[in-house]
Amino acid sequence: MVSSLGVAIVRQYQRGVVFRFGQIRPVREPGIQFMIPLADRMRKVSLRTVTMPIPSQQVITKDNVSIGVAAVAYFRRVDPIQSIVAIENVEDAISQIAQTTVRNVVGRSNLDDVLSETEKLNESIKDILDITTERWGVLVELVELKDIELPQSMQRAMAREAEAEREKRGKIIAAEGEALSAGKLAEAADVIQRHPVALQLRNLQVLGEIAIERNSTIVFPAQLMDSFRALNSFVDRETGARADGIVPAAYAAE
């Protein structure tokens, strides 16, 4: 009502597009704007970013998998005049072209690419929309695929694939551990072969670990008793040799 009297208030985030007898006049900036009563008509255009949800739609991917894809687009008007003159309803047009573009871009991709390369698909959709909406005075700032619905059969197949992949990695890690363990055991066997007393010392160490549990019953096998006797014989020989002033062979070699 006030605009028909020749006065209009344009907010900071708006621009005023004035028609004088049907012809475009210069864009009016924020503030109080005066117009010619009955001759001028103003349409206010918001320059704020608009969030537009793109509803979920069924798309058949390149590898013939039917999925549901939903997205969201962010755009804003950068040319107030073109957004009014070049198209009748810019928001409805962007909604329709966005749905079509999402369906086309996703339909040209394999399912693995849709799931793993979402950022590339978002950028492709944004570039296509930018080319289309540029002549409408609209800039598409961002497009994001926010929801991808897979069929139940495909979800089960992917779960089995992920489980098999984890089992494969687990078996590989276990095999690598066995290989490392075998190598260390081989090195230990070489050391024991060069120094037989090391085996007896190892047996004593194991007995010491077992003896920590006072309620345990320890059974000494015959082989272990032989090890004790061999160890005692070795100690006796070393002690007798030192008493006689004879240098043992192990020290002579050093």
Side-chain angles (χ1 to χ4, degrees):
M1 187 68 180
V2 177
S3 60
S4 62
L5 299 178
V7 178
I9 297 177
V10 180
R11 299 182 184 277
Q12 185 63 41
Y13 56 85
Q14 294 176 332
R15 295 296 183 270
V17 179
V18 177
F19 292 87
R20 178 172 297 172
F21 296 115
Q23 294 182 345
I24 288 288
R25 305 301 298 170
V27 175
R28 301 298 177 89
E29 297 295 326
I32 299 178
Q33 300 294 334
F34 298 96
M35 299 174 293
I36 300 176
L38 303 178
D40 292 346
R41 291 290 184 272
M42 176 184 289
R43 289 187 59 181
K44 299 176 183 179
V45 178
S46 175
L47 302 184
R48 292 181 295 183
T49 299
V50 178
T51 302
M52 174 176 290
I54 303 173
S56 178
Q57 52 188 330
Q58 291 298 122
V59 180
I60 299 178
T61 60
K62 188 177 180 180
D63 48 355
N64 297 322
V65 178
S66 179
I67 60 175
V69 180
V72 60
Y74 299 86
F75 69 91
R76 60 184 177 89
R77 298 171 177 85
V78 294
D79 190 335
I81 294 178
Q82 288 298 106
S83 65
I84 293 178
V85 176
I87 191 166
E88 181 178 0
N89 190 329
V90 66
E91 291 190 5
D92 184 62
I94 293 177
S95 176
Q96 296 298 323
I97 193 64
Q99 294 181 46
T100 304
T101 304
V102 169
R103 185 168 57 250
N104 292 339
V105 172
V106 174
R108 293 195 299 265
S109 306
N110 293 320
L111 179 60
D112 291 340
D113 296 335
V114 175
L115 298 176
S116 61
E117 299 183 359
T118 307
E119 293 183 1
K120 292 183 179 180
L121 296 180
N122 294 338
E123 193 65 27
S124 299
I125 297 172
K126 175 183 175 301
D127 292 341
I128 295 174
L129 290 178
D130 266 339
I131 296 174
T132 305
T133 60
E134 183 180 4
R135 60 178 179 269
W136 301 340
V138 174
L139 173 65
V140 178
E141 298 178 336
L142 184 65
V143 177
E144 290 285 343
L145 299 178
K146 65 175 185 177
D147 190 15
I148 300 175
E149 299 178 0
L150 299 177
Q152 291 295 329
S153 58
M154 182 58 64
Q155 293 182 20
R156 290 192 296 268
M158 294 179 67
R160 290 195 299 269
E161 180 183 358
E163 184 178 358
E165 180 65 24
R166 289 186 178 275
E167 289 181 356
K168 183 188 74 173
R169 285 187 291 176
K171 290 180 180 179
I172 292 175
I173 293 174
E176 291 176 350
E178 290 292 337
L180 293 174
S181 177
K184 295 299 181 181
L185 288 175
E187 294 178 3
D190 293 339
V191 173
I192 292 174
Q193 184 179 8
R194 294 193 302 267
H195 306 282
V197 180
L199 180 60
Q200 279 72 25
L201 294 177
R202 179 57 181 163
N203 290 334
L204 292 175
Q205 183 181 3
V206 172
L207 287 176
E209 294 175 355
I210 296 175
I212 295 176
E213 297 294 336
R214 297 181 180 275
N215 57 353
S216 300
T217 301
I218 304 174
V219 179
F220 295 92
Q223 182 180 4
L224 183 59
M225 299 305 297
D226 293 339
S227 299
F228 276 122
R229 287 193 291 269
L231 179 60
N232 290 330
S233 299
F234 175 78
V235 174
D236 292 340
R237 288 197 304 269
E238 293 292 322
T239 304
R242 291 183 180 179
D244 296 337
I246 301 174
V247 179
Y251 295 100
E254 297 178 359

